[in-house]
Amino acid sequence: MPLALLALAIGAFGIGTTEFVVMGMLPQIAGDLGVSVSAVGLLISAYAIGVVIGAPTLTALGVRFTPRQTLIGLMVVFVVGNALSAIAPGYTTLLIARVLTALAHGSFFGVGAVAARRLVPKEKATQAISLMITGLTLANVVGVPLGTFVAQQLSWRLVLGGVAAIGLVTIAGLLAWMPAVAGEPTDLRSELSAFRRRQVWLILGVTMVGFAAMFAVYSYVNPILTELGGIPEGWVTPVLALFGVGTTIGTLSGGRLGDRFGFSFVAVGLLGMSLVLVAFALLARTPVAAVVLLVLFGTIGFALGPVVQSRVIDAARVPGGSLVSAANQAAFNVANAFGAALGAAVLSAGLGYTAPLWVGAVVALAGAGVAVLALRGERADARAVHVAATADLAAWRHTLAPAHTG
């Protein structure tokens, strides 16, 4: 593994930790700042908005620089945002600092995915992305539980200060290990031209629709486990740790399977996710089955992420591809909001905690349908390239024919 991938994974670990650890520190932050828990909960929404805004904006600003330069600049923003969050004197300052931190999130993964692909042979491009994203999944297994514990025992400010330190380690790793040849500066017009391609929008559609299924369920996983599965509240954290292990295994295995089977793996995976959620809905009241199916659900879902990220860069067909890569990160956050809203809608309608599972199954099936369309488009593009190459070869042979005859 190139050490530059380790630097990207460390950065992803820091980003994943700062995004999700706030959920476990809500009471501590609220008590320290003298605001309600619901007000602190808005920090989560503010972070998501910052990701959606920052992913295309900062990536567009960074196209004139090499990926190495852009990634270092994004980590500087990340460090400053977390440091300001750690010393924020009041709620408003913390809110602004969290949005600033989030601006670097989507762009880092977008540009980082492009750089990761350049560090390995083409046939291992998806595996390289999966190794970077593994840092994000490990954040849920290690970073978030550890940060929550530190916040409970010491201070939430110490947690965010520690995340800022992780950002500094990432910067040092990028300076030491990321080669300047991992991508070249491009121009905004070239990057924007990728959005004229139907295939790009189909893959972004797969992200927004297919992955909404994951968030429709995961957003309400606690009451699903306790109210339906009858699992004691104290066991929810270990179960979520198992879920995190499953997502890590899925991310790593998805990289290999994506390089081997391409986008067909995404279509089959979303269909499999739909079937798992159907089984989950039917067996949710059986604790062991609920836990097994939840872990399997996370494993499948996170196995698809690196594949979609890699294929959208391929679909762009531009020298860089960082802007569509970042747009896919924004699409993940759209899926987050969309899925959570769908889950909230069926719960508000009084349909019970099995309803998000059924919604997730339907949405995953719809995502599989979009993935089939994207797969057909990918194959049509491949045939067009083959036809063009054959025509060029025929023209070349025709040009040489007179000289050979003579």
Side-chain angles (χ1 to χ4, degrees), residues 196-220:
R196 298 174 184 169
R197 304 201 70 248
R198 177 175 177 267
Q199 189 66 13
V200 168
W201 287 104
L202 282 173
I203 297 177
L204 292 178
V206 171
T207 301
M208 287 186 283
V209 177
F211 287 89
M214 172 166 288
F215 295 107
V217 175
Y218 189 67
S219 300
Y220 308 98

Side-chain angles (χ1 to χ4, degrees), residues 12 19 37 59 65 109 117 143 155 227 235 245 260 287 290 294 305 349 406:
E19 179 182 16
V37 171
T59 305
F65 303 95
F109 280 105
R117 287 162 50 95
S155 170
E227 298 293 331
W235 282 94
V245 172
R260 182 174 180 179
L294 176 66

Side-chain angles (χ1 to χ4, degrees), residues 41-70:
L42 291 176
L43 295 176
I44 300 171
S45 300
Y47 189 96
I49 293 172
V51 174
V52 175
I53 294 173
T57 304
L58 294 191
T59 305
L61 293 174
V63 295
R64 296 184 179 181
F65 303 95
T66 65
R68 179 176 184 266
Q69 292 169 328
T70 301

Side-chain angles (χ1 to χ4, degrees), residues 72-322:
I72 291 172
L74 292 170
M75 269 295 112
V76 170
V77 174
F78 178 79
V79 169
V80 171
N82 279 288
L84 287 176
S85 298
I87 63 173
Y91 177 79
T92 302
T93 305
L94 180 59
L95 181 66
I96 295 172
R98 289 295 293 171
V99 173
L100 176 63
T101 304
L103 293 176
H105 180 130
S107 187
F108 183 87
F109 280 105
V111 177
V114 173
R117 287 162 50 95
R118 299 289 183 90
L119 296 169
V120 297
K122 185 177 181 180
E123 63 272 14
K124 294 185 177 182
T126 308
Q127 292 180 55
I129 294 176
S130 72
L131 288 171
M132 178 184 69
I133 297 178
T134 299
L136 179 65
T137 60
L138 287 176
N140 285 308
V141 179
V142 179
V144 174
L146 180 61
T148 301
F149 177 78
V150 171
Q152 292 170 345
Q153 302 300 318
L154 298 172
S155 170
W156 63 271
R157 296 180 184 274
L158 183 62
V159 175
L160 295 179
V163 173
I166 293 173
L168 291 176
V169 173
T170 303
I171 292 173
L174 291 171
L175 287 170
W177 300 324
M178 179 63 72
V181 294
E184 299 177 352
T186 57
D187 62 90
L188 186 57
R189 180 176 296 180
S190 173
E191 292 283 346
L192 288 173
S193 67
F195 291 96
R196 298 174 184 169
R197 304 201 70 248
R198 177 175 177 267
Q199 189 66 13
V200 168
W201 287 104
L202 282 173
I203 297 177
L204 292 178
V206 171
T207 301
M208 287 186 283
V209 177
F211 287 89
M214 172 166 288
F215 295 107
V217 175
Y218 189 67
S219 300
Y220 308 98
V221 67
N222 193 316
I224 288 174
L225 291 174
T226 56
E227 298 293 331
L228 289 179
I231 295 174
E233 187 71 34
W235 282 94
V236 171
T237 298
V239 170
L240 293 182
L242 284 176
F243 177 86
V245 172
T247 62
T248 302
I249 294 172
T251 300
L252 290 173
S253 60
R256 292 181 178 275
L257 292 170
D259 281 330
R260 182 174 180 179
F261 298 108
F263 209 75
S264 59
F265 174 64
V266 176
V268 173
L270 285 170
L271 178 59
M273 184 190 296
S274 179
L275 295 176
V276 167
L277 289 176
V278 169
F280 198 171
L282 296 174
L283 300 173
R285 298 186 185 279
T286 306
V288 174
V291 171
V292 170
L293 289 168
L294 176 66
V295 174
L296 182 59
F297 166 66
T299 303
I300 295 174
F302 274 75
L304 305 180
V307 189
V308 175
Q309 191 70 43
S310 183
R311 304 308 277 195
V312 79
I313 297 172
D314 286 333
R317 295 202 176 174
V318 294
S322 58

